[in-house]
Amino acid sequence: MGNLIKEKTNLNERQISILRSKDLPIDWDKLTEGQQQSIVAIEEMLEYLENKYQKTFCYAGYRRENPLFFDKESLLAYAEGDDPESECFTVERAENGFTDRYAWVVQSPIVQKEMEEKLEGIFEGQKYKMFVKLTGVSGEGVVESLHIYIYIENTSMAKTDELMEKTTIAISGDSRVHDIDMYCFDKQVVEAMTDKNHQGSFDIDDIVLHYKSDEINRGRGERWNRR
């Protein structure tokens, strides 16, 4: 964390709002030294984001450094207008400033749309949904790896075998795709799925077929028949 606070700091409106949301005093002198350090660090990190991306960011949480539990100092934030439940990201203090994971938020819908366009012809006429989870993004904001989840209401093994094979072929040249999971159901579960809840929106007994293909560019894949 930064240097210890030696002089009284004038709190701005955002800092006062954050303190009030935590039921903490908004009088600087009534804050503990740790609280003073935290509210200054939060503002410092938010200003870093706003200077870097030229937009407004909002506070969602903060954790002080705790070497005892190997906790790094970090801020949880989201861009104004984004969903605080699904589009939060972390900012951490680095040796020469800060690092952040905002690129994960920015790139996620871009890659989602790219994969949808790549696979939509394969699943035309099927009741399905597909979601992308980024698993690696470089410090420069380049997507390096991702996981594709496909959910389909179809239990014809001949048809789902064909769909999985076509999917694997379609993305075989994309080195970013490390894993594909395709779940097949015999009941209506797909319509209610969203990007936020899809992995927890069904029970394991709902799965009739589960296809998994990893290390796509090595051509490895398997199918598990759950019934």
Side-chain angles (χ1 to χ4, degrees):
M1 194 169 173
N3 295 329
L4 294 176
I5 308 299
K6 296 181 180 180
E7 298 179 359
K8 182 174 180 177
T9 296
N10 292 321
L11 298 170
N12 62 29
E13 291 184 11
R14 178 161 60 190
Q15 289 173 306
I16 290 171
S17 177
I18 292 169
L19 290 170
R20 281 179 171 157
S21 73
K22 299 298 181 182
D23 294 323
L24 292 172
I26 60 172
D27 184 330
W28 177 262
D29 293 326
K30 293 181 180 179
L31 294 170
T32 67
E33 186 177 281
Q35 291 166 345
Q36 291 173 350
Q37 292 175 9
S38 295
I39 198 63
V40 169
I42 289 168
E43 181 64 19
E44 190 180 6
M45 290 178 166
L46 288 171
E47 288 180 354
Y48 149 77
L49 290 172
E50 291 169 346
N51 289 331
K52 180 176 179 179
Y53 297 107
Q54 296 299 300
K55 60 172 64 177
T56 301
F57 288 85
C58 305
Y59 163 87
Y62 174 76
R63 181 171 61 187
R64 297 187 68 192
E65 182 180 19
N66 188 336
L68 182 63
F69 294 101
F70 303 101
D71 289 338
K72 292 183 178 181
E73 180 190 13
S74 63
L75 172 75
L76 193 63
Y78 61 96
E80 187 175 56
D82 282 357
D83 187 340
E85 291 187 13
S86 61
E87 296 179 294
C88 279
F89 62 95
T90 55
V91 183
E92 293 184 350
R93 194 178 296 274
E95 192 171 316
N96 297 309
F98 301 99
T99 61
D100 68 86
R101 290 168 63 93
Y102 185 49
W104 293 68
V105 175
V106 173
Q107 290 295 331
S108 186
I110 295 173
V111 177
Q112 173 76 26
K113 183 178 180 181
E114 181 186 344
M115 292 298 119
E116 286 174 354
E117 292 175 347
K118 184 173 288 190
L119 300 180
E120 63 182 352
I122 295 172
F123 289 89
E124 186 175 359
Q126 300 294 317
K127 190 166 185 179
Y128 82 103
K129 285 188 178 178
M130 186 271 290
F131 302 97
V132 170
K133 178 181 179 182
L134 303 187
T135 54
V137 179
S138 73
E140 291 72 37
V142 177
V143 176
E144 297 178 327
S145 61
L146 59 96
H147 191 137
I148 297 175
Y149 295 90
I150 300 168
Y151 305 96
I152 182 170
E153 292 174 12
N154 193 322
T155 58
S156 165
M157 191 175 293
K159 183 61 178 178
T160 53
D161 277 357
E162 176 190 353
L163 292 171
M164 187 62 182
E165 182 178 1
K166 287 183 176 180
T167 298
T168 304
I169 292 171
I171 54 82
S172 61
D174 192 331
S175 61
R176 301 171 301 172
V177 182
H178 281 197
D179 302 276
I180 301 176
D181 276 283
M182 187 168 83
Y183 297 91
C184 306
F185 307 95
D186 64 355
K187 59 176 65 176
Q188 296 182 355
V189 296
V190 169
E191 187 173 352
M193 290 180 175
T194 68
D195 183 56
K196 296 180 187 177
N197 73 7
H198 66 94
Q199 288 183 272
S201 63
F202 57 90
D203 295 325
I204 193 168
D205 291 337
D206 295 333
I207 304 168
V208 177
L209 293 166
H210 175 203
Y211 295 78
K212 185 173 182 64
S213 182
D214 56 9
E215 298 185 61
I216 300 302
N217 289 288
R218 297 187 188 182
R220 293 174 55 184
E222 300 180 69
R223 179 189 68 223
W224 285 270
N225 185 351
R226 301 203 65 90
R227 291 185 187 172

